[in-house]
Amino acid sequence: MKIYLAAPWSKRLRARDVRDVLVDAGITVTSQWLDHPETEDPAELQRQAVNDLADLESADAIVVLNLAKSEGKAFEFGYAYATNMTCIVIGSRKHNIFYHLPDVSIVETVDAAIDY
C-alpha cells in the first residue's frame, strides 16, 4: 500500500514521526514534501508543488493528519477526493466541511489508520 501523508507545513516534524511509524508498518509513504527545504524562491516552490502532485498521484490513498487548518492539506485532500482516492483523516472532522462526506474515513490514531 502506498499512501500520501498530508499535514500542515507547520506540523511537518510530527508528520515525519508519523511517516516513520507508517514505514515501520510496511506502508510506502510517497510524501517527499516532508523533506523539502523551507524556501520562498518561486521556482523552487513551483518545483515542489509539481512534485507533491506527482507523489499524490502515485499513492493508493491519502492520510490526512488533521492537526490544524492548512490550505495545502485541504488542496491535497480535495485533489485526492476528486480522483476517487481512498481518503482517511486522523483526528476530527474539524477544520474542513468535506471531512463530513460519507465516504471519508475518520480515525482517531495512526494505529487505526494502519489497521484501516
Side-chain angles (χ1 to χ4, degrees):
M1 164 71 69
K2 294 190 298 184
I3 67 105
Y4 183 89
L5 181 60
W9 175 261
S10 64
K11 306 292 185 184
R12 68 189 175 282
L13 296 179
R14 170 73 177 117
R16 288 176 186 161
D17 292 340
V18 171
R19 173 188 55 192
D20 294 344
V21 171
L22 294 169
V23 168
D24 288 347
I27 296 169
T28 300
V29 178
T30 65
S31 306
Q32 296 179 66
W33 73 268
L34 293 166
D35 299 313
H36 287 328
E38 197 158 344
T39 183
E40 293 184 18
D41 176 51
E44 176 61 17
L45 290 169
Q46 180 181 36
R47 186 191 70 74
Q48 289 178 8
V50 168
N51 287 344
D52 289 354
L53 287 180
D55 290 347
L56 183 55
E57 290 171 352
S58 72
D60 303 308
I62 186 170
V63 172
V64 177
L65 287 177
N66 194 22
L67 304 171
K69 280 190 172 186
S70 164
E71 292 176 0
K73 77 174 171 54
F75 178 90
E76 293 159 341
F77 172 83
Y79 191 95
Y81 187 84
T83 59
N84 297 312
M85 189 177 290
T86 299
C87 297
I88 303 165
V89 176
I90 299 174
S92 71
R93 296 182 192 276
K94 179 171 79 168
H95 303 306
N96 192 319
I97 191 171
F98 297 102
Y99 296 165
H100 292 271
L101 292 168
D103 49 348
V104 174
S105 299
I106 305 294
V107 298
E108 292 188 21
T109 66
V110 175
D111 288 336
I114 291 168
D115 291 342
Y116 185 89

